[in-house]
């Protein structure tokens, strides 16, 4: 799975909760902070940090348990967090 | 009772009662209809308060959104107590007294709700879901609403009325217009959640508060001018407002438990 595909998978997974606009916007903001560029290779550390930041945000809307379950599903979808 | 059933019941009852009041100009003279509207408002507010507290509990300790939901629940409880007293008066006398001890609870609810909404805006912004320039936006909105408040409050301030009645008729629209500032900020933040499960929660809550404010302002303004022909419309606005507040809290609890 390419870098851009990883980010797309994350966006699609969180869209049902926070809508497409906010999903894309929050992923973009966190990617910028973490130095993730859609055209370059992303490290597993960067992806883990991105998912951690998103989970912290989602936590305030859907609770910790649900946010953690969602992040686990995303990790599974993008390859078990080994990327 | 299942939560989804409760969402439908709130919708059906609030819509029906609002339509009855909009269509029937003499509804406020009818004790049964007045009581029906009062009980509908009370039930909606109690649902809103209970499910706000439940959402706070479900979010768990340490969650930054827990405190605003608790404070919102406290504000809605104060409104429920005020409405409960009004229902008592409507049941025993067939009238809605103003001012009355119920106003103590309604006035108390404002600082709690305003504080809760500010806390929500801060929590969402700190969690990376805010948008740029919110402080400037809040100041601009405050100035706009202050400019709107001035002509509205002028006739209210000069009406011949008892001091307490005049004070409350000035306090409610002023507090409502103040409430509009965090509402506008939250509307700007949450409008970017369109299409997500979070959006209906905030759309309902904000519509609820906007209708409450509109009802209060209309009541104060028309009372000052000595008009009461729109009283059924004002009752309908409160029914719609409180129904929306109940939905907002129900939608949040559903999102946390589904």
């Amino acid at each position: 799975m390419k870098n851009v595909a990883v980010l797309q998978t994350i966006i699609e997974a969180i869209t049902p909760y926070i809508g497409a606009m906010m999903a894309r916007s929050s992923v973009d903001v966190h990617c910028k902070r973490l130095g993730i560029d859609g055209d370059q290779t992303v490290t597993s550390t960067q992806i883990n940090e991105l998912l951690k930041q998103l989970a912290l945000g989602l936590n305030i809307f859907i609770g910790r348990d649900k946010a953690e379950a969602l992040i686990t599903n995303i990790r599974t979808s993008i390859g078990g967090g080994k990327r | 009772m299942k939560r989804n059933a409760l969402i439908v019941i709130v919708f059906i009852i609030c819509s029906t009662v609002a339509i009855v009041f909009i269509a029937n100009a003499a509804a406020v003279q009818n004790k049964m209809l007045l009581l029906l509207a009062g009980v509908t408002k009370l039930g909606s507010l109690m649902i809103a308060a209970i499910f706000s507290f439940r959402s706070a509990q479900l979010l768990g300790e340490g969650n930054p959104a827990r405190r605003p939901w608790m404070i919102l629940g406290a504000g809605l409880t104060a409104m429920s107590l005020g409405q409960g007293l009004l229902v008592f008066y409507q049941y025993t006398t067939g009238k809605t007294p103003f001012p009355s001890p119920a106003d103590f609870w309604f006035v108390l609810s404002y600082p709690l709700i305003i504080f809760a909404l500010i806390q929500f805006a801060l929590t969402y912004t700190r969690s990376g879901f805010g948008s740029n320039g919110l402080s400037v936006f809040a100041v601009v909105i405050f100035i706009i609403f202050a400019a709107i408040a001035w002509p509205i409050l002028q006739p209210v301030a000069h009406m011949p009325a008892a001091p307490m009645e005049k004070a409350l008729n000035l306090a409610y629209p002023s507090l409502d217009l103040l409430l509009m500032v965090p509402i506008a900020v939250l509307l700007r933040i949450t409008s970017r959640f369109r299409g997500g499960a979070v959006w209906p929660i905030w759309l309902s809550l904000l519509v609820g508060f906007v209708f409450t404010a509109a009802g209060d302002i209309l009541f104060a303004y028309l009372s000052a001018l000595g008009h009461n022909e729109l009283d059924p419309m004002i009752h309908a606005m409160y029914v719609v407002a409180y129904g929306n507040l109940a939905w907002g809290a129900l939608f949040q609890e559903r999102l946390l438990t589904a």
Side-chain angles (χ1 to χ4, degrees):
Chain A
M1 197 182 276
K2 290 191 174 177
N3 199 5
V4 71
V6 171
L7 298 182
Q8 191 56 38
T9 303
I10 295 171
I11 290 167
E12 282 170 12
I14 62 176
T15 290
Y17 297 100
I18 58 174
M21 188 195 290
M22 186 52 95
R24 190 166 293 281
S25 156
S26 58
V27 167
D28 284 350
V29 167
H30 288 305
C31 279
K32 254 183 205 164
R33 278 185 198 158
L34 297 167
I36 299 172
D37 187 324
D39 297 329
Q40 292 174 359
T41 310
V42 65
T43 65
S44 59
T45 312
Q46 284 174 316
I47 285 294
N48 281 332
E49 192 55 34
L50 172 62
L51 293 176
K52 193 176 147 192
Q53 292 299 318
L54 288 171
L56 282 173
L58 288 167
N59 176 34
I60 63 173
F61 299 110
I62 61 177
R64 189 180 302 143
D65 293 347
K66 225 171 167 180
E68 280 175 5
L70 178 63
I71 295 303
T72 304
N73 283 343
I74 295 172
R75 278 189 213 282
T76 309
S77 302
I78 62 179
K82 291 174 183 171
R83 190 166 296 276
Chain B
M1 188 186 291
K2 291 265 165 67
R3 185 194 323 94
N4 285 344
L6 199 53
I7 289 171
V8 175
I9 289 168
V10 168
F11 175 77
I12 292 171
I13 293 178
C14 288
S15 307
T16 308
V17 173
I19 289 166
V20 166
F21 271 73
I22 290 168
N24 185 0
V28 285
Q29 316 299 337
N30 183 316
K31 187 180 172 182
M32 281 308 291
L33 284 178
L34 195 62
L35 206 54
L36 175 69
V39 170
T40 302
K41 289 178 217 167
L42 177 60
S44 299
L45 284 171
M46 285 174 68
I47 289 169
I50 290 166
F51 280 84
S52 293
F53 282 130
R54 182 151 164 71
S55 295
Q57 186 192 18
L58 286 166
L59 281 165
E61 277 185 33
N63 193 309
R66 189 182 197 200
R67 193 160 76 142
W69 276 109
M70 288 287 282
I71 301 167
L72 183 64
L76 291 166
T77 301
M79 285 178 82
S80 304
L81 289 167
Q83 186 59 41
L85 279 173
L86 285 186
V87 169
F88 170 75
Y89 288 122
Q90 287 161 351
Y91 179 71
T92 52
T93 67
K95 290 180 180 159
T96 310
F98 178 77
S100 76
D103 291 297
F104 167 79
W105 295 106
F106 284 121
V107 170
L108 179 68
S109 72
Y110 278 92
L112 292 168
I113 290 169
I114 290 169
F115 187 57
L117 296 182
I118 291 170
Q119 287 286 309
F120 275 120
L122 290 173
T123 301
Y124 293 170
T125 304
R126 285 172 189 154
S127 302
F129 293 104
S131 55
N132 294 330
L134 283 176
S135 305
V136 176
F137 179 72
V139 171
V140 170
I141 291 292
F142 179 79
I143 292 167
I144 290 171
F145 280 117
I148 293 170
W150 187 255
I152 290 176
L153 296 177
Q154 280 300 309
V156 181
H158 293 107
M159 71 176 183
M164 181 58 84
E165 186 181 344
K166 189 184 277 192
L168 286 171
N169 265 337
L170 284 170
Y172 281 126
S174 305
L175 288 166
D176 282 313
L177 291 165
L178 197 59
L179 182 65
M180 286 295 118
V181 178
I183 285 175
V185 170
L186 274 168
L187 200 56
R188 181 163 160 177
I189 294 172
T190 57
S191 62
R192 296 166 75 211
F193 291 94
R194 280 192 305 274
V198 170
W199 174 235
I201 298 168
W202 283 101
L203 183 64
S204 301
L205 287 175
L206 299 179
V207 165
F209 288 124
V210 167
F211 268 74
T212 304
D216 285 345
I217 292 165
L218 205 59
F219 176 78
Y221 196 68
L222 294 175
S223 301
L225 298 175
H227 293 280
N228 57 7
E229 61 272 17
L230 284 179
D231 278 0
M233 184 68 77
I234 294 169
H235 278 279
M237 286 174 100
Y238 286 128
V239 168
V240 171
Y242 299 165
N244 270 279
L245 295 179
W247 276 350
L250 282 163
F251 287 147
Q252 175 64 65
E253 196 263 357
R254 183 172 69 177
L255 180 59
L256 291 166
T257 53

